[in-house]
Amino acid sequence: MSAIDSLPPLRQVIEAHGLSAKKSMGQNFLLDLNLTAKIARLAGDLSGSDVLEIGPGPGGLTRGLLAEGARRVLAIEKDSRCMPALDEISRAYPGKLQVINADALELDPLAHLTPPIRVVANLPYNVGTELLVRWLTPADWPPFWKSLTLMFQKEVAERIVAKPGNKVYGRLALLAQWRSDARIVMELPPEAFTPPPRIKSAVVHLTALPEPRFPADPAVLSRLVAAAFNQRRKMLRSALKVLGPDIEARIVAAGLKPTDRAEQVPLEGFCALARELAK
Ligand code: SAM
């Protein structure tokens, strides 16, 4: 019998430990272990990696990560009620699972991890987006992670992979695509979760590129993209006025048209303009 088979079904775990889903913690659990194993496989070859899991809850995805052969899993969970259920999994996989009861927005997990590191999470959507932006915007690149495999509201997943001309193309797409490969690898209906959320979900898999696709200073690019999409329907020359009196000349020097709108400008164009602005 494998370790995962020695553990009780998740519905039984939830009942035994009184883990009724709390809305305030964004708890929508995945109880189908075939589904969690599939998500773990989408994260790539785990055998040579430490996995950082944020928000394990009762541990469905955690079991999937361990069963798929993760070298080690560090799981950070805010809800202390989940600790006994996660301890049971630790005991079934001796030396493989470390659980920390903490808020992932407050804790720096790096002291507990050895590269290569893959991050996997089914998180409340607001926490997920905040962590994604942090993971995409470190001062130095490559980042601590090799890949991120994250569940999002489908609409947010579409913003991450959007291309120019798409109405959801914006800051999140540019941040994600500048220094990583981002793909939607799975879509899930509300019924996949207990309790079901109101919206559809999707898993996005991001792989860190060894270096950015086009050179640019991260802080300048970030300021530029924020200004451009703050007024996405305006022409660049008016949306970017805030960046300096000679902005029109700089837009032209970067090979763009002052009459272009942010939503049509590709990543390469934003990077060229960021380099112009940094001169
Ligand atoms: N991974 C589990 C699964 O797939 O069934 C649970 C998913 S549930 C959508 C989100 C989990 O994240 C919950 O267990 C919740 O308690 C936890 N959580 C919420 N906010 C958190 C935070 N700031 N830091 C760590 N965990 C958090």
Side-chain angles (χ1 to χ4, degrees), residues 25-30 55-57 76-79 102-104 122 124:
M25 291 267 188
Q27 292 178 339
N28 301 96
F29 300 133
L30 286 170
I76 300 172
E77 172 56 59
K78 190 172 171 186
D79 185 354
D103 182 336
N122 172 18

Side-chain angles (χ1 to χ4, degrees), residues 111-140:
H112 307 273
L113 293 162
T114 312
I117 299 163
R118 294 183 185 270
V119 180
V120 182
N122 172 18
L123 268 175
Y125 300 121
N126 54 346
V127 182
T129 310
E130 173 151 3
L131 285 172
L132 172 66
V133 170
R134 284 191 202 177
W135 290 329
L136 289 172
T137 53
D140 297 316

